Amino acid sequence: MKPKVFSTHGLFPPARTLLEKSFDVDYWSREERPPRDELLRRVADKDALICLLTEKVNDELLDRAPKLRIAATVSVGYDNIDVPACTRRKIIATHTPGVLDDTTADFAFALLMAVARRVVEGDAWMRTGTWPGWNLDQLCGGDIWGKTLGIIGFGRIGRAVAKRAQGFDMRILYSDARRAAPEAERDLHAEFVSLDRLLAESDFISVHVPLLPETRHLINAQTLAKMKPGAYLINTSRGPVVDEAALAAALEAKTIRGAALDVFESEPKVLPALVGRKDVVLTPHIASASVETRTKMAMMAAENVIALFEGRRPANALNPEALAAAT
Ligand code: GLV
């Protein structure tokens, strides 16, 4: 009998084909996310779980899945998975790092450009049929080229954003818990600075940190107040890194000029105070959403599951120590 997998998404055809060779796969194929009780019911007899960042894999779920050997999230962020809880049960947790860096960086840059150059406002205006024709002072935004970009979190995605910024002759500052190697700083023309200096000197701030207790509300009333007047904030990391109410207040007070957000504190909800604002660009958590990249992510999750059941170490294990304990 083939091992059983519950996949909380229908995945893409190449990943389905790969999985179905060796597993009996039960898919959740509806657009809305599975209700919690349905998820708990469906994992009860499964050997493996493939899930999205919307599913919490915690003690409650793991207690209901006594046969589970792996929880593979189709995302690079894994704040949805209680990794120590998996480790305690010798369950491997995996994620999908590496394949989405450039796609996400492209999108962070798209947001930066959209908010600075008022692309969304322009599009909305054209669709009303009321554009009277060219004029000198219409929808003037802020320049991008030659400005200072502050990157908070200089991991793979932050560095991919820095690479793009070079094409715009931007000065690049970064802050991170760890300083990058001198070669990386040199190649990316990036200067390591304190968070305070980054906030004070950047015209654009792009956030690329994981969600951790120490990064929750990293952007708050105090840090927003330290931002350069007229600066823009871009967030493609995790919503709770930004205190949305404080952001709305800073925009209302015009201490900063705009924000572009792909992630939200309580997804799928968006703070109403942000929704009506023209100085905010809002997108539905799609920074990694190219067909190519999302397919690679699904394949990666499938390959991690396959590796485990073939007796190999899954390439993207978050807790390889669980594997050692299980053998
Ligand atoms: C998306 O947000 C991811 O973590 O992959």
Side-chain angles (χ1 to χ4, degrees), residues 244 261-276 280-284:
E244 285 176 2
L261 308 173
D262 184 50
V263 287
F264 302 91
E265 268 192 89
S266 309
E267 294 180 12
K269 294 196 190 104
V270 184
L271 189 76
L274 292 172
V275 175
V280 177
V281 172
L282 306 169
T283 52

Side-chain angles (χ1 to χ4, degrees), residues 149-261:
L149 171 65
I151 299 173
I152 303 182
F154 208 55
R156 289 181 305 263
I157 299 173
R159 291 174 198 213
V161 170
K163 198 167 154 192
R164 282 148 182 78
Q166 288 178 54
F168 289 79
D169 293 330
M170 295 180 96
R171 171 178 171 239
I172 300 161
L173 306 178
Y174 78 93
S175 73
D176 195 290
R178 279 189 306 166
R179 185 168 181 171
E183 312 81 69
E185 289 188 355
R186 193 191 52 231
D187 292 352
L188 295 166
H189 304 284
E191 186 185 348
F192 180 60
V193 293
S194 65
L195 179 62
D196 275 359
R197 209 182 125 200
L198 182 144
L199 293 166
E201 294 184 21
S202 301
D203 300 293
F204 295 91
I205 291 181
S206 192
V207 185
H208 300 284
V209 292
L211 179 61
L212 300 168
E214 55 275 28
T215 60
R216 188 174 289 273
H217 283 192
L218 178 71
I219 303 297
N220 54 37
Q222 286 75 38
T223 43
L224 284 159
K226 290 179 182 171
M227 279 175 68
K228 184 173 175 178
Y232 295 90
L233 177 74
I234 294 97
N235 188 17
T236 51
S237 63
R238 281 291 182 269
V241 173
V242 175
D243 177 341
E244 285 176 2
L247 173 63
L251 288 163
E252 184 62 24
K254 298 204 182 306
T255 57
I256 69 167
R257 193 163 174 192
L261 308 173

Side-chain angles (χ1 to χ4, degrees), residues 53 74-79 96 100 236-238 263 285 288 294 297:
L53 52 82
V74 190
S75 58
V76 63
Y78 53 89
D79 41 290
T96 63
L100 48 73
T236 51
S237 63
R238 281 291 182 269
V263 287
H285 205 147
S288 67
R294 289 281 169 91
M297 290 164 70

Side-chain angles (χ1 to χ4, degrees), residues 69 89-92 308 320-327:
R69 292 183 57 200
R89 294 169 174 82
K90 304 185 181 58
I91 293 171
I92 295 290
L308 183 71
E321 65 277 17
L323 192 60
T327 50

Side-chain angles (χ1 to χ4, degrees), residues 10-11 15 26 36 42 45 117 125-127 132 142-143 163 168 174 178 209 212 227 230 248 262 284 308 313-314 316:
L11 303 178
D26 174 16
R36 187 72 181 168
R42 303 268 280 264
D45 63 339
R117 298 303 310 274
W125 192 12
M126 295 308 287
R127 289 169 199 274
D143 263 331
K163 198 167 154 192
F168 289 79
Y174 78 93
R178 279 189 306 166
V209 292
L212 300 168
M227 279 175 68
D262 184 50
L308 183 71
R313 175 178 161 158
N316 313 107

